[in-house]
Amino acid sequence: MYTWFCQVVILEKGRKGIKMKEKFFNWREWLIVMGIIGWLVACQTSPEVTSWKPASSPLTTHWGKKVSPQNVWKVYPRPQLRRKDWLDLNGLWDFAILPVNEGPPQEYQRQILVPFPVEASLSGVGQKVTEKEKVWYRRFFSLPSAWRGKKIYLHFEASDWETTVWVNGQRIGTHRGGYDPFKFDISSALKGQGDQELVVAVWDPTDKGYQPRGKQVLEPHGIWYTAVTGLWGTVWMEPVEETHIEQVRIFPDIDNEMVRVKVNLASPQADLNLKAKVLEKDKVIAEKIVSPEEELILPVVKPHLWSPEDPYLYDLEIEVIKGDQLLDKVKSYFGLRKISLGRDPQGRVRIFLNNRPYFQLGTLDQGFWPDGLYTAPSEKAWIYDLNVLKKLGFNLIRKHVKVEPRRFYYWCDRLGLLVWQDMPSGDKFIKVNEPDGQRTAESAAQFRLELRRMIENLFNHPSVIVWVIFNEGWGQFETEKLSEWVKKLDPTRLVDSASGWVDRGVGDLKDIHAYPGPAMPSLEETRAVVLGEFGGLGLAVPHHIWQKEKSWGYRNLTSFTDLTQAYVELIKKLMVCVDQGLSAAVYTQTSDVEIEVNGLLTYDRNQVKVFIDKIAAINHQVRNLLD
C-alpha cells in the first residue's frame, strides 16, 4: 500500500512538472494523510453522513433517536400487492421553501429527510409552512439496468396536499389529496442512462383551505395539533410490463367457504390468463386459471377464520400469463372474516363478527408522533403501539380523522386489531341542532374523491370493519346520500355516518360521545348502538409532556394508580351499558398528543401510564360479556 500511494503521488505531481523524491511520506504521515483523504471522500460522496440532524423538539421517541438517512423507512410499502423489484427513494433530498407563486428554486440550500413532513423534528427542518408558501424537493436517482424497456412507476405513499412532479425537467402531473397513495408513469421522461432528476413541489393550505386535513392547524392549541406539509410517506419506484396487474379486490365469503378475487389489468391484451393460488403455510390449498374477464372463485374448505383473538392470514399469489410467458406476478394475503349486524338472544341489534355477537372495546388513535408528527419514526413504533393495546386487552382502534400508510393496516391485520376508519375531516363545522352544511362544488367533489380513494385503498384489509364518514358535525353534508353511496361502494362493511353529535338516522350505527361517560344511545330497530368516544382521563407525566404548563384532559389525575383506578371504575359502569345492548366503546385515547395528556401512553411512548395487568383484566371482563 505504501509503494502504491507513492506512485500515485509521483504521477500526479509529474504531470504538473514537479519532481518528487521516491519516499514522499513515512508511515505515520501516510496514515494521517489517508485518514484525511478518507474523511474528505466521505463528505463528498455521502452527504447523508454529515449534513442531517433532527430539528429541536420538546420530546422524542427512542425509535426517533435511532433514525438516520441510511436506515429511514426501508420496508416495502404495499403489502397486499407485492412485487419483487422496487427502488426505495427515502433519504436525504435537496429542499427549499419559497413563496407559493414562485417557480422552482435556482439553488437548494438545505436538505430534508424523506419521508418526514417539513414541520417534524426528524425531517431535519422542523419549520412551519403557511398557505402562502410552497415546498420544493429534488433528488437524483439512477435506474437498475434490468429495468430498461419496462414501464416505470413513481409511487408516493402520502403527500399533503397538492403535489406536482417533474422528471428531467418534464412535468409529469399533479395529485390532490393528503392521505392516499398515488403513482405516476414516468417512463417517457426518463433518459437512456445516467442520473435522472426528480423534482417535487407541494402546497398545503392546512386550515385555510376546505380540503380534508384532520386535526392539523397552523396555530396548534387544545385538541388541535401541529400541521403537516409535504411528503410524509415512502417514495418509491417499480418496473412493470405494459400489461400488468393494477388492482386486486378480495371478497372473503365465510358462509360459502370461499374467497372471490377480482383482478383489474392495465393494458390487457388477447390470449391472457390469470392464475391464482391460495396458500396455507406455504401449502397450496386452492388453485384456479381463468380469463381476465372472469372472477376468480377459490374454495377454502373448513376455513380458518380471522379474528382479533386468532388473526389468521392466508397467502394469495396471482400471475398474468400469455402462453408460456409470465407477464406479471404479485403476492398478497387475506383474512376470512365477516362483519355484519344481527340480533342477540334478547332480540337487540348488535355488531356481529363471523356470525356471532362481538363486543368491541378500543381506543381513539390519532396517529401523531412527537418527532415525526404524521410519520412514525419507524415501523417498530407502530408495532409497539399495537402490541401495547393488545396487552391492555383492547380489540379495536378507531383511526381518528387520519388515514395511515398501508403497512399500518398490515400490522393490524397481522396482530389482530379491528379498525374503525375515519374519513379525515375538513371544511366547516355544523352545530348539533343545525341542518347539514352546504359545501362548494369543489369542496364536495374533493371530499368524495378522497373518501372513495380511502375505501378503495383499504378495501382488502380484514382488520378494517367500519367506515366513519363524519365526526362531530365537522364538514358534515349530504349525510343520507353519502351513507348510501359508501354502502354501495363497500357492502361488506358497516357505515358509521356520523360519530358524535349530529345523527341523521342513517347508516348501520347510532354513535354518541360522552366524556368522561360512559353512556349509550337508546336502542334502535335497525342499527346497532355504540359509544364512539368516552373517557379522556388525563395524567401529565413529568419529563414526558409536550409543554410544561396548560396540559389538557377531560379529567385530570395525579398518579398511575389513580388513573388505573379511574379507568377501572369507568369500565365497571360500561358493563351495565353492554348488558343493556351497547355494541362497542372507544376510549380516548391511545397516547398523549401535544397539549392533550389523556393517553394511556405518554406522547413519547416512554411510559405506559396505567398498570397493564389491571387494565387487561377489566377489559377482558367486559369483552367477554357477550360470550
Side-chain angles (χ1 to χ4, degrees), residues 158-402:
S159 180
D160 195 8
W161 173 71
E162 180 184 85
T163 306
T164 304
V165 174
W166 294 261
V167 174
N168 294 325
Q170 180 178 323
R171 188 177 184 278
I172 301 298
T174 296
H175 174 272
R176 282 186 160 193
Y179 299 92
D180 54 295
F182 58 98
K183 66 183 181 182
F184 294 109
D185 178 358
I186 63 171
S187 309
S188 62
L190 295 171
K191 298 184 292 186
Q193 58 184 0
D195 285 344
Q196 319 276 346
E197 183 189 49
L198 171 59
V199 173
V200 178
V202 187
W203 172 70
D204 181 16
T206 310
D207 51 336
K208 303 299 182 183
Y210 59 76
Q211 80 292 347
R213 60 177 173 85
K215 289 289 196 80
Q216 305 175 66
V217 291
L218 290 172
E219 300 296 335
H221 61 280
I223 63 171
W224 308 103
Y225 316 140
T226 301
V228 166
T229 302
L231 305 178
W232 67 273
T234 289
V235 185
W236 59 291
M237 300 172 65
E238 69 171 337
V240 293
E241 299 294 339
E242 187 70 26
T243 298
H244 61 275
I245 295 169
E246 192 156 47
Q247 184 187 64
V248 174
R249 281 286 187 95
I250 302 171
F251 301 84
D253 186 343
I254 69 170
D255 296 327
N256 294 298
E257 296 191 349
M258 67 182 188
V259 61
R260 296 185 296 117
V261 182
K262 184 178 180 181
V263 179
N264 292 333
L265 294 180
S267 302
Q269 51 182 293
D271 303 322
L272 292 180
N273 282 313
L274 299 175
K275 181 179 180 180
K277 297 178 183 178
V278 175
L279 297 94
E280 188 173 15
K281 296 181 179 178
D282 297 326
K283 178 184 177 182
V284 177
I285 63 169
E287 185 173 353
K288 194 166 187 181
I289 299 176
V290 301
S291 68
E293 293 77 25
E294 297 178 74
E295 187 176 50
L296 284 157
I297 300 177
L298 297 138
V300 186
V301 180
K302 296 181 180 179
H304 192 152
L305 300 184
W306 184 97
S307 70
E309 293 73 30
D310 185 12
Y312 189 84
L313 298 173
Y314 290 88
D315 290 318
L316 177 66
E317 294 181 0
I318 305 173
E319 298 177 345
V320 183
I321 302 169
K322 184 172 185 177
D324 296 330
Q325 185 182 8
L326 177 63
L327 298 182
D328 195 14
K329 179 179 180 178
V330 298
K331 293 184 178 183
S332 188
Y333 68 87
F334 62 91
L336 279 171
R337 68 99 183 94
K338 176 183 177 182
I339 194 73
S340 59
L341 296 182
R343 294 190 181 274
D344 66 13
Q346 291 75 37
R348 298 171 297 199
V349 178
R350 289 197 186 266
I351 298 175
F352 278 41
L353 176 65
N354 297 334
N355 294 326
R356 297 181 61 184
Y358 187 84
F359 187 76
Q360 298 162 56
L361 178 63
T363 60
L364 197 71
D365 197 271
Q366 309 280 3
F368 269 77
W369 302 83
D371 40 17
L373 298 179
Y374 259 18
T375 309
S378 74
E379 188 170 53
K380 291 180 179 179
W382 278 342
I383 297 169
Y384 173 81
D385 271 11
L386 298 176
N387 275 326
V388 167
L389 293 177
K390 292 281 289 186
K391 289 178 181 177
L392 287 167
F394 295 104
N395 57 12
L396 166 75
I397 60 170
R398 179 183 167 198
K399 179 51 65 175
H400 191 42
V401 294
K402 181 198 177 189

Side-chain angles (χ1 to χ4, degrees), residues 491-509:
T492 71
R493 290 180 173 86
L494 304 180
V495 174
D496 186 351
S497 61
S499 182
W501 303 342
V502 191
D503 181 60
R504 301 299 185 209
V506 295
D508 298 302
L509 307 180

Side-chain angles (χ1 to χ4, degrees), residues 58-95:
L59 289 175
T60 189
T61 64
H62 73 265
W63 304 281
K65 293 174 183 177
K66 298 176 183 178
V67 168
S68 74
Q70 290 74 40
N71 68 13
V72 59
W73 277 100
K74 298 301 181 186
V75 292
Y76 187 82
R78 192 182 55 200
Q80 284 195 316
L81 195 68
R82 306 189 306 275
R83 292 189 177 94
K84 183 176 68 173
D85 293 332
W86 71 294
L87 181 64
D88 175 25
L89 295 181
N90 290 337
L92 285 178
W93 293 48
D94 298 327
F95 180 74

